[in-house]
Amino acid sequence: PEVDAGPDLASDEGVEVALTGSFSDPDEGDTHTIAWDLGDGTTVSGTLTPSHTYDDDDVYTVTLIVTDGEGETDSDTLLVSVGNVVPTVDAGPNQASDEGDEVAFAGSFTDPGVLDTHTVEWDFGDGGTASDTLTPTHTYADDGPPANGGAYTATLTVTDDDGGVGGDTLLVSVGNVAPTVDAGPDQASDEGDELVFAGSFTDPGVLDTHTIEWDFGDGGTASGTLTPTHAYGDDDVYTVTLSVSDGTDTISDTLLVSVGNIAPTVDAGPDQSSDEGDEVSFAGSFADPGVLDTHTVEWDFGDGGTAS
């Protein structure tokens, strides 16, 4: 027989290729066996028009062999050029989360080149990355950028071993979480004593910046520290407020400071001597840590005389 395997062909991996071989034999009474070697380890027999799908890109030499009933054999070849197809990637649906919460991703891809190997890379849009998994988890440390509508753009990229790159993106909307604030325990003090405060706060948005403000309840304030000191100038019960802002939300907590009164410390002055009828000048003094107290002053001269 005289064999013609057909023209060279071009295709892509994963796409079915139709072969159209033929042969002629002047001995019309011969029987024939037909065999194809498709060049990738696959064989087909019994038909001149098989179809075949190649699982990887390459140039394959296809051979058609026809043998007649007398054992005479002829063959012919053709080339099938199979091109690479890039993976089709799905990063998954858009998601919503709060800063500090773990986000679970579920990407996927398909590749008609079933013999390809692949590398998988994630870019979470905040500088974080992951590789070699389609289902990573990631925690965003700050709410999403306003310029992107409060969302991060996460990108899944899959590259096959032939350099074919497929990619897809999703949006992760990350909301702000307000700080949790603790002004500290209630305190007791005396007027004039210095009190040390010990406030604290937590914020899952670890990249947030914060402003700290204290209102001591007597008109005094402090900022920029969680551990200020303050002295009260008068006895009372004061409500102290610690406020922490992360730029989006401001949260406050309070404590009570019970301030007790301190009696004045009095000095009547030094002992004196005089003659009857002479005028004596006194020079008393007093101190009071309650600098906002008002005072009444009374003298008893010991002879029934007084002054105030």
Side-chain angles (χ1 to χ4, degrees), residues 225-279:
T225 177
L226 288 167
T227 56
T229 59
H230 185 66
Y232 288 91
D234 200 5
D235 59 297
D236 205 340
V237 176
Y238 298 92
T239 299
V240 179
T241 304
L242 168 61
S243 299
V244 179
S245 174
D246 64 3
T248 301
D249 296 302
T250 300
I251 301 299
S252 300
D253 187 40
T254 63
L255 65 96
L256 295 178
V257 178
S258 300
V259 178
N261 185 62
I262 298 293
T265 301
V266 179
D267 183 4
D271 293 342
Q272 299 201 43
S273 62
S274 175
D275 291 326
E276 57 186 2
D278 289 347
E279 186 175 73

Side-chain angles (χ1 to χ4, degrees), residues 129-252:
T129 61
S131 59
D132 299 327
T133 177
L134 288 167
T135 56
T137 59
H138 184 66
T139 300
Y140 289 92
D142 201 1
D143 50 305
N148 201 34
Y152 294 94
T153 300
T155 303
L156 170 60
T157 302
V158 179
T159 305
D160 65 25
D161 56 354
D162 299 300
V165 179
D168 189 35
T169 63
L170 65 96
L171 294 177
V172 182
S173 300
V174 178
N176 184 65
V177 176
T180 300
V181 179
D182 182 3
D186 293 341
Q187 299 204 44
S189 175
D190 290 324
E191 56 187 6
D193 288 348
E194 188 173 71
L195 275 176
V196 179
F197 295 89
S200 63
F201 73 91
T202 60
D203 192 336
V206 295
L207 297 182
D208 284 349
T209 56
H210 300 87
T211 57
I212 300 168
E213 300 290 341
W214 289 88
D215 181 337
F216 298 117
D218 64 347
T221 61
S223 62
T225 177
L226 288 167
T227 56
T229 59
H230 185 66
Y232 288 91
D234 200 5
D235 59 297
D236 205 340
V237 176
Y238 298 92
T239 299
V240 179
T241 304
L242 168 61
S243 299
V244 179
S245 174
D246 64 3
T248 301
D249 296 302
T250 300
I251 301 299
S252 300

